[in-house]
């Protein structure tokens, strides 16, 4: 009886709440297609590790583990059916392709396929490799905006695939052949500008040497700094601070730097999201975040709004391959103007659990910021198991109660007769 009730309850819960299935992937040439990765742009002569983060997150989320299947990476514009191996200048290591070093001829569209006799899934990415003598470095740069007076600390981006723990990282500004001087504060390999000014705008390049298979290879990254905010007069008492780099590990800057504020301007107010907001997202899905800021209309154009991921700019964070900030939008509202900035994350993985998403708004009147946190939704299977266990215990308790309630009872007269009879025979 208990088992029957339990089975009926499980069927009822499943029918009532259901287990939402993931949307099917589009199919092309008999293979399931994952959306394209963000284009990777690199410099010839440097080590490049090509990977497929969106593709891998989909494979993991859908638990696609076909028996005897392997990752196969190919260059889709190749006609000779080239196959990459674990040796040579271009090597395949599972779902990664290593270029040691990369050449301009490596540019093209690459496809990663996971296939067996019954299932196939594939993803693709475009790699652009430029010669250093023939490319505008802005094409290789990560954009970065900063407000006048802001303290800026930048780490060399997109190095997570390399082991550079004991590597010296040098920074250069624009086309200068001389590296910036290291400072005494900050994290190893970071670039520090104590108080951003207009002359600090420009291209910054970080360069390092990495060790792969006991051989040294060059790696560099570029970002373009744009400075926004009101102009101010440079005087001997208010000079342009020096830009410095850091090489000492583990030391965080504790110096306080003055920010240029107007006496009349009001600081921006972030109306959405609210600090403490928890963003529940299902793994494998995308996420659109909107930061809405209210400010005076005359300050709207100069108001800087940006998203930070765990305290780092999106372009320099671990999400830089899967996230993109949209264009700033300004609209008039009843109490001034509203500035809106959209952040698009193409796919959410388990890595985003507890990730802090911070929206920062700053203008001449001051600075405001709010922090939201990503939390992964529990799987429907988890809730189903919890419900089944709860129903099982409930039905067990009910069954025991019913058994005790309707248990046959002996008649007192019969018990008394048997007791007298036993006492008579004992005499």
């Amino acid at each position: 009886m208990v088992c029957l009730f339990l089975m009926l309850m499980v069927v009822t819960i499943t029918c009532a709440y259901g287990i939402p299935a993931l949307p099917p992937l589009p199919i092309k040439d008999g293979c399931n297609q994952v959306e394209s990765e963000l284009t990777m742009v690199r410099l010839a002569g440097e080590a490049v590790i090509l990977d497929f983060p969106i593709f891998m997150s989909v494979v993991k989320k859908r638990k696609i583990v076909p028996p005897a299947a392997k990752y196969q990476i190919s260059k889709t514009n190749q006609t000779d059916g080239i196959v990459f191996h674990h040796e040579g200048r271009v090597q395949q290591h599972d779902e990664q392709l290593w270029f040691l070093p990369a050449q301009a001829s490596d540019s093209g569209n690459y496809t990663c396929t996971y296939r067996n006799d019954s299932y196939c899934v594939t993803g693709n990415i475009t790699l652009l490799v430029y010669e250093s003598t023939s490319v505008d470095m802005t094409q290789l740069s990560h954009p970065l905006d900063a407000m006048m007076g802001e303290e800026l600390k930048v780490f060399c981006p997109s190095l997570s695939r390399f082991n550079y723990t004991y590597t010296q990282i040098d920074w250069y500004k624009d086309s200068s052949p001389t590296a910036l001087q290291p400072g005494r504060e900050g994290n190893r390999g970071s670039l520090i500008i104590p108080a951003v000014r207009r002359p600090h705008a420009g291209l910054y390049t970080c360069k390092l040497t990495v060790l792969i298979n006991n051989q040294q290879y060059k790696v560099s990254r570029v970002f373009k700094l744009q400075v926004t905010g009101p102009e101010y007069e440079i005087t001997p008492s208010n000079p342009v601070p020096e830009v410095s780099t850091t090489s000492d590990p583990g030391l965080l800057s504790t110096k306080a730097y003055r920010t240029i504020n107007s006496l009349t301007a009001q600081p921006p107010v972030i109306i959405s999201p609210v600090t403490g907001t928890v963003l529940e997202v299902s793994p494998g899905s995308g996420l659109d975040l909107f930061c809405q800021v209210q400010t005076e209309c005359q300050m709207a154009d100069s108001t800087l709004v940006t998203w930070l991921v765990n305290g780092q700019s999106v372009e320099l964070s671990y999400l830089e391959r899967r996230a993109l900030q949209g264009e700033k939008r300004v609209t008039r509202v009843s109490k001034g103007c509203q500035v809106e900035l959209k952040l698009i994350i193409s796919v959410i993985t388990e890595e985003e659990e507890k990730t802090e998403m911070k929206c920062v708004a700053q203008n001449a009147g001051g600075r405001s910021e709010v922090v939201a946190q990503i939390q992964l939704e529990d799987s429907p299977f988890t809730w189903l198991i919890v419900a089944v266990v709860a129903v099982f215990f409930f039905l067990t308790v009910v069954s025991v109660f019913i058994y005790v309630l309707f248990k046959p009872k002996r008649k007192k007269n019969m018990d008394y007769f048997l007791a007298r009879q036993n006492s008579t025979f004992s005499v």
Side-chain angles (χ1 to χ4, degrees):
M1 182 67 70
V2 173
C3 294
L4 179 59
F5 282 152
L6 184 59
M7 292 177 62
L8 291 175
M9 187 61 68
V10 171
V11 173
T12 303
I13 293 174
T14 305
C15 295
Y17 296 98
I19 301 177
L22 293 171
L25 296 172
I27 297 178
K28 182 180 179 181
D29 298 330
C31 206
N32 293 271
Q33 301 289 311
V34 177
E35 64 177 298
S36 299
E37 312 280 345
L38 296 178
T39 298
M40 179 182 287
V41 184
R42 293 293 182 259
L43 204 59
E46 297 185 355
V48 174
I49 295 182
L50 190 72
D51 59 356
F52 301 77
I54 298 178
F55 170 78
M56 290 305 301
S57 66
V58 171
V59 170
K60 185 176 182 180
K61 170 62 180 175
R62 294 172 180 262
K63 296 180 173 57
I64 301 172
V65 188
K70 294 183 179 180
Y71 297 103
Q72 180 180 349
I73 301 178
S74 62
K75 193 174 182 182
T76 55
N77 55 355
Q78 288 281 355
T79 57
D80 54 357
I82 185 171
V83 177
F84 300 110
H85 301 284
H86 281 51
E87 57 186 15
R89 185 183 66 84
V90 184
Q91 306 174 9
Q92 180 179 341
H93 295 268
D94 293 328
E95 75 281 4
Q96 296 180 346
L97 201 59
W98 297 5
F99 299 86
L100 305 173
Q103 299 177 356
S105 59
D106 294 325
S107 297
N109 190 28
Y110 290 82
T111 300
C112 184
T113 304
Y114 203 40
R115 178 199 307 270
N116 71 349
D117 294 337
S118 60
Y119 194 86
C120 174
V121 59
T122 184
N124 64 84
I125 186 174
T126 298
L127 173 66
L128 300 177
V129 182
Y130 293 101
E131 296 287 353
S132 58
T133 57
S134 62
V135 63
D136 181 358
M137 295 303 288
T138 57
Q139 298 183 46
L140 303 172
S141 64
H142 301 259
L144 181 63
D145 293 333
M147 283 290 297
M148 291 280 290
E150 177 183 355
E151 178 187 6
L152 185 64
K153 183 183 295 182
V154 182
F155 298 90
C156 195
S158 304
L159 298 180
S160 60
R161 299 295 183 265
F162 298 100
N163 182 4
Y164 62 101
T165 305
Y166 303 103
T167 301
Q168 173 68 33
I169 300 178
D170 295 319
W171 287 87
Y172 301 82
K173 186 176 187 297
D174 296 327
S175 57
S176 174
T178 305
L180 298 172
Q181 294 299 314
R184 294 176 297 174
E185 299 173 279
N187 284 4
R188 180 184 63 82
S190 62
L191 177 74
I192 291 181
I193 304 178
V196 174
R197 299 292 184 264
R198 197 75 65 189
H200 292 140
L203 291 174
Y204 290 84
T205 304
C206 55
K207 297 182 179 181
L208 65 153
T209 300
V210 298
L211 190 65
I212 302 177
N213 296 335
N214 296 320
Q215 293 190 27
Q216 293 185 341
Y217 296 93
K218 295 179 180 179
V219 174
S220 68
R221 299 290 183 262
V222 184
F223 77 88
K224 182 178 181 181
L225 176 61
Q226 301 182 68
V227 181
T228 59
E231 294 283 358
Y232 78 105
E233 182 180 359
I234 300 176
T235 64
S237 61
N238 197 17
V240 177
E242 292 292 332
V243 178
S244 64
T245 64
T246 62
S247 56
D248 297 331
L251 299 177
L252 297 179
S253 175
T254 59
K255 185 183 294 184
Y257 299 103
R258 183 173 62 86
T259 303
I260 304 301
N261 291 327
S262 170
L263 295 178
T264 58
Q266 297 297 317
V269 178
I270 301 176
I271 58 178
S272 178
V274 179
T275 290
T277 298
V278 176
L279 307 167
E280 294 190 355
V281 191
S282 299
S285 62
L287 178 63
D288 292 348
L289 297 175
F290 294 89
C291 184
Q292 297 176 332
V293 181
Q294 187 170 309
T295 185
E296 302 170 75
C297 287
Q298 61 268 28
M299 300 294 297
D301 291 337
S302 61
T303 296
L304 173 66
V305 182
T306 188
W307 282 98
L308 301 179
V309 179
N310 289 336
Q312 285 289 300
S313 66
V314 176
E315 294 79 10
L316 306 181
S317 71
Y318 77 94
L319 275 177
E320 56 99 11
R321 295 282 305 281
R322 291 185 281 124
L324 179 67
Q325 293 192 93
E327 295 291 332
K328 184 177 75 173
R329 294 178 53 191
V330 179
T331 56
R332 284 189 172 272
V333 293
S334 58
K335 297 182 180 180
C337 284
Q338 178 174 292
V339 182
E340 182 181 270
L341 183 69
K342 182 180 181 180
L343 175 64
I344 304 171
I345 304 178
S346 59
V347 60
I348 296 294
T349 69
E350 294 181 359
E351 191 176 5
E352 277 66 76
E353 178 71 27
K354 304 301 182 182
T355 295
E356 285 191 352
M357 310 299 298
K358 179 186 293 185
C359 176
V360 179
Q362 183 172 348
N363 59 23
R367 175 187 176 100
S368 300
E369 58 183 47
V370 299
V371 177
Q373 190 176 74
I374 294 179
Q375 179 175 310
L376 301 183
E377 293 180 348
D378 291 329
S379 169
F381 289 100
T382 302
W383 287 110
L384 181 59
I385 293 173
V386 171
V388 168
V389 173
V391 170
F392 174 78
F393 281 107
F394 173 76
L395 292 178
T396 301
V397 172
V398 170
S399 300
V400 172
F401 176 77
I402 293 176
Y403 174 77
V404 172
L405 183 63
F406 293 99
K407 178 181 178 181
K409 297 182 179 180
R410 295 180 178 180
K411 296 181 180 179
K412 293 183 178 180
N413 294 337
M414 180 63 68
D415 294 339
Y416 176 76
F417 173 78
L418 292 175
R420 288 294 304 271
Q421 187 179 41
N422 292 337
S423 63
T424 303
F425 286 118
S426 62
V427 174

